[in-house]
């Protein structure tokens, strides 16, 4: 359990590495699902195209939505977008950067599915078998004397080896359509790789300062939310401890008064330290209404991103600076250094 806890804490502290791992797992899952998927073309003119193109489009959309669901930054983006402005303004470039980052990671698994599907070619064969010109494959007498409806039904059976009798024509047409599908797959991979290259290489060259700014504040929003949740958890834990302790102290006091027993036990130093630590973690908020008000104010009016200096730190820094300057100039706290003086006695004699 300790190893799993350490791993979970590492993943929480490294949000970007965690999301990259999730994207890799989803990409492998999409490829594994396709290999385990049993492709069954209906071999009917009315449904072949719908089934083939649906297999190429619907699963990537599902993987894309799953990528958004598994990404924790989606809730951060939604909260930042919908929150009231209050004392802190909203920067559209930060929201745009967060949305683009989430979208890029969510597109990995759909891209893998589309690539694997195009390389396999079964969906293309099922979708476009009815559009083939069978005369190009050598057998001119196959469709002589049949209607257009019968011709479409016969072409729709090409993806099904058990239903199409002419195996030579089926093999030739299957290779032809799979060749086109694989060409489309390589073009798709080239296009995705080139687009990723442009995003990675060219964008920082033109807007490096804006890119660093948006990246910094997007990380700040994520870290601020995590630390606020951790602070709320610590406060709730301390609040529960103090509430339970006071409850038992009140009950024990009532029972002692009822039975007429008086005990003069004093708490130990460790118990006193624990009580003080729990009291300090309450941060002065000791009522339910006060906590509700704090949470409501955090949502409706977040504090401005302009930190103020602590008054104690300013006083201490002033004293330290004064002492240092006084020491350099020979004055400390308005007094000069006491320099020890030596007395000399001189005797003269006449010889």
């Amino acid at each position: 359990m300790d190893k799993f806890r350490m791993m979970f804490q590492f993943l929480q502290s490294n949000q970007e590495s965690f999301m990259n791992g999730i994207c890799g797992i989803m990409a492998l899952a999409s490829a594994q699902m396709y290999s385990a998927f049993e492709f069954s073309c209906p071999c009917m003119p009315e449904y072949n195209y719908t089934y083939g193109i649906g297999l190429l489009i619907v699963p990537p959309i599902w993987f894309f939505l799953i990528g958004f669901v598994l990404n924790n930054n989606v809730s951060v983006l939604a909260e930042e977008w919908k929150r009231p402005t209050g004392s802190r303004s909203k920067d559209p470039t930060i929201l745009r950067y967060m949305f683009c980052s989430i979208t890029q990671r969510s597109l990995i698994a759909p891209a893998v599915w589309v690539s694997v599907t195009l390389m396999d070619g079964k969906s293309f064969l099922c979708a476009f078998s009815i559009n083939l010109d069978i005369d190009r494959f050598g057998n001119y007498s196959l469709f002589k004397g049949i209607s257009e409806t019968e011709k479409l039904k016969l072409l729709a059976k090409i993806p099904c080896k058990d239903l199409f009798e002419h195996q030579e024509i089926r093999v030739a047409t299957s290779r032809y359509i799979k060749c086109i599908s694989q060409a489309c797959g390589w073009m798709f991979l080239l296009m995705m790789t080139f687009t990723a290259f442009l995003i990675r290489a060219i964008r920082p060259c033109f807007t490096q300062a804006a890119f660093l700014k948006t990246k910094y504040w997007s990380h700040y929003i994520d870290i601020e939310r995590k630390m606020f949740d951790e602070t709320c958890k610590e406060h709730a834990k301390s609040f529960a401890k103090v509430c339970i302790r006071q409850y038992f102290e009140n009950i024990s006091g009532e029972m002692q008064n009822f039975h007429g027993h008086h005990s003069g036990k004093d708490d130990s130093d460790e118990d006193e330290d624990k009580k003080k630590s729990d009291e300090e973690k309450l941060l002065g908020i000791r009522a339910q209404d006060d906590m509700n008000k704090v949470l409501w104010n955090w949502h409706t009016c977040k504090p401005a991103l302009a930190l103020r200096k602590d008054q104690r730190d300013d006083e201490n820094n002033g004293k330290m600076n004064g002492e240092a300057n006084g020491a350099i100039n020979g004055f400390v706290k308005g007094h000069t250094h006491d320099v020890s003086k030596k007395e000399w006695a001189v005797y003269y004699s006449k010889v």
Side-chain angles (χ1 to χ4, degrees):
M1 290 299 294
D2 294 336
K3 293 182 178 180
F4 286 108
R5 189 180 298 107
M6 293 175 61
M7 184 180 299
F8 182 72
Q9 292 176 355
F10 173 78
L11 293 176
Q12 279 189 330
S13 61
N14 296 272
Q15 180 72 15
E16 188 172 358
S17 301
F18 176 69
M19 293 312 305
N20 291 335
I22 290 293
C23 294
I25 292 173
M26 288 183 61
L28 294 176
S30 63
Q32 187 66 25
M33 285 181 64
Y34 184 84
S35 61
F37 177 74
E38 184 179 356
F39 186 85
S40 300
C41 184
C43 295
M44 298 177 64
E46 300 86 0
Y47 303 108
N48 276 19
Y49 183 80
T50 304
Y51 182 82
I53 299 301
L55 185 66
L56 190 64
I57 295 177
V58 175
I61 296 175
W62 180 77
F63 278 112
F64 181 73
L65 295 177
I66 288 294
F68 268 81
V69 170
L70 295 179
N71 199 318
N72 295 328
N73 291 329
V74 174
S75 59
V76 179
L77 175 62
E79 291 176 4
E80 184 66 17
W81 178 45
K82 294 296 292 183
R83 70 171 176 85
T85 303
S87 301
R88 182 186 303 181
S89 61
K90 292 187 285 188
D91 192 351
T93 57
I94 298 175
L95 301 177
R96 196 181 307 119
Y97 172 82
M98 296 175 67
F99 179 77
C100 293
S101 178
I102 296 171
T103 305
Q104 289 174 10
R105 290 189 174 96
S106 300
L107 285 174
I108 295 177
V112 172
W113 177 273
V114 173
S115 302
V116 173
T117 305
L118 291 176
M119 290 299 179
D120 188 53
K122 291 180 181 179
S123 63
F124 247 53
L125 179 61
C126 182
F128 298 103
S129 62
I130 59 176
N131 298 326
L132 285 172
D133 186 7
I134 204 67
D135 295 336
R136 300 175 56 184
F137 299 98
N139 194 342
Y140 299 99
S141 61
L142 182 61
F143 294 108
K144 287 183 179 180
I146 63 174
S147 62
E148 189 68 23
T149 305
E150 294 295 330
K151 179 180 177 181
L152 291 177
K153 289 182 179 180
L154 188 61
L155 290 174
K157 295 178 182 179
I158 291 178
C160 305
K161 64 173 71 175
D162 299 333
L163 301 178
F164 196 78
E165 298 177 355
H166 306 278
Q167 293 298 322
E168 294 180 359
I169 297 177
R170 181 186 178 277
V171 172
T173 54
S174 299
R175 289 181 177 178
Y176 174 73
I177 294 182
K178 286 184 178 181
C179 178
I180 297 175
S181 179
Q182 290 176 1
C184 293
W186 283 113
M187 290 297 296
F188 176 77
L189 287 176
L190 180 62
M191 182 181 65
M192 294 295 292
T193 305
F194 185 71
T195 304
F197 168 75
L198 291 179
I199 294 174
R200 288 286 185 178
I202 297 180
R203 182 181 64 179
C205 296
F206 294 98
T207 57
Q208 182 65 20
F211 174 74
L212 292 176
K213 184 188 72 171
T214 54
K215 186 176 181 180
Y216 173 85
W217 288 115
S218 65
H219 289 171
Y220 170 82
I221 292 172
D222 186 27
I223 294 172
E224 183 189 52
R225 185 196 182 198
K226 292 179 181 177
M227 295 190 68
F228 182 78
D229 292 341
E230 292 177 359
T231 305
C232 289
K233 289 180 182 178
E234 291 293 331
H235 186 276
K237 187 177 180 180
S238 301
F239 193 91
K241 283 184 178 179
V242 174
C243 183
I244 293 172
R245 185 187 300 118
Q246 291 180 357
Y247 170 76
F248 278 99
E249 288 177 354
N250 294 333
I251 292 296
S252 62
E254 292 177 359
M255 293 179 65
Q256 289 176 3
N257 293 331
F258 179 76
H259 293 289
H261 298 293
H262 300 280
S263 59
K265 295 187 296 181
D266 296 331
D267 294 331
S268 60
D269 295 337
E270 296 181 357
D271 294 337
E272 290 293 335
D273 294 338
K274 289 181 180 180
K275 288 183 179 180
K276 290 181 180 180
S277 63
D278 292 335
E279 292 286 343
E280 291 175 356
K281 290 180 181 179
L282 290 178
L283 302 176
I285 303 172
R286 307 175 60 86
Q288 183 180 4
D289 295 336
D290 295 339
M291 192 64 204
N292 292 336
K293 185 177 180 180
V294 168
L295 297 176
W296 176 258
N297 291 337
W298 177 261
H299 172 70
T300 56
C301 185
K302 286 189 176 181
L305 296 176
L307 304 181
R308 64 179 186 274
K309 291 184 179 181
D310 193 359
Q311 186 176 2
R312 296 177 182 177
D313 294 339
D314 292 341
E315 293 177 357
N316 293 333
N317 291 334
K319 291 180 180 179
M320 292 178 63
N321 293 333
E323 292 179 359
N325 294 331
I328 293 174
N329 297 325
F331 295 90
V332 177
K333 297 181 181 180
H335 300 284
T336 58
H337 289 290
D338 294 334
V339 181
S340 59
K341 297 180 180 180
K342 295 182 179 180
E343 295 180 357
W344 296 86
V346 180
Y347 299 94
Y348 296 94
S349 62
K350 295 179 180 181
V351 178

